[in-house]
Every structure is written in C-alpha cells, then in structure tokens.
Amino acid sequence: MPSLQETRAVVTLAPAKPTGLADLGAPLGDAAMVKKGRAHEFPQLLTDGNIGRRFQDLRVIGIKTLEGEVVSAKFFVQFEVFGDNTSAPTNGVGFEAALFAGAEQLASLSSSSLFLPYANFWYPNRFVFEVPAADFDRADRLEFIAKPEEVRAI
C-alpha cells in the first residue's frame, strides 16, 4: 500500500485587522486581538516521490477576545486538501501543528483526521484550538505537519 511522507509548512503569524472573520463567530470587541498567517500551496509526497495529496490556502487565524468576561484565545487552522489519486483511510491520522515564539515551542496541537472522503476532489477543512492567552501573545509562527499515513492508490 502506498504511504505518504511527513510534510511540513511554516506559517508566519503577524498582528492583523479583525476583518473577514464574520464566519468564525468571534465576539470582536475593542479588546480583541487578531493574528493571521498563510501558506499558499504545498504537496505531500508518497514514499516513491509522486504527489499523493495536495494542500492549498492554509490559513491560520488567531483571535484573543473577551467571551463572557473571560479572556479566550483560539487559533483556527483552515485549508483545502485534495486526494491526488489517493484515497485516505477511514480513520486517518490527521495533522499536527506546533505553535512557536522564536525557537521556543509553546504548544502542540493535533487533529484526529482530515475531511477527505474521496480522492481527486478539493475539500475544505477547519479546526480550532484553544491556547493560553500568554501563548497567543508570544506566538509568531505555526508549523503545520501533515503526518505520514498509508493510502490507497486510485
């Protein structure tokens, strides 16, 4: 069975305006802080060197805001994924992400699987991770890690 190799993409996070966030439902009061970053497109290769999966428009949006008088800090990880002539297993391995401040890793984030029900089609994915407010303040990049997994060739 073909296997995907681990693939990494780095997204630099920078302070941003709280625009284009309506679909996230975040309460964006005067105290809200936003960080954004993006990676455009990258492939995940099979062990034989061929492309097995494609990721595009990887967007990371961090929002720190007040929610019911409590500070809430969340990072949204959004992307589209394409099974490039490969079909993902029913219980895939998902992805991991690491939040950094310079060389210091602040948090490890992970998902259990991607939404990729069929090969040869683009599917949007969105995940949200809550982090301590202090980690939000210090974070300057997120490393996205597409984990290795066995797939079926189509």
Side-chain angles (χ1 to χ4, degrees), residues 103-128:
E104 180 186 353
Q105 184 173 334
L106 302 173
S108 180
L109 316 169
S110 66
S111 78
S112 58
S113 65
L114 303 177
F115 180 69
L116 186 59
Y118 298 103
N120 296 313
F121 196 83
W122 286 103
Y123 291 98
N125 279 253
R126 178 186 287 175
F127 302 86
V128 63

Side-chain angles (χ1 to χ4, degrees), residues 57-89:
D57 201 20
L58 170 60
R59 290 175 287 153
V60 180
I61 301 167
I63 302 171
K64 184 172 93 170
T65 189
L66 283 175
E67 187 175 30
E69 305 292 323
V70 175
V71 174
S72 167
K74 297 178 182 176
F75 279 94
F76 293 82
V77 177
Q78 304 176 122
F79 54 88
E80 291 185 8
V81 62
F82 182 84
D84 198 75
N85 296 320
T86 63
S87 180

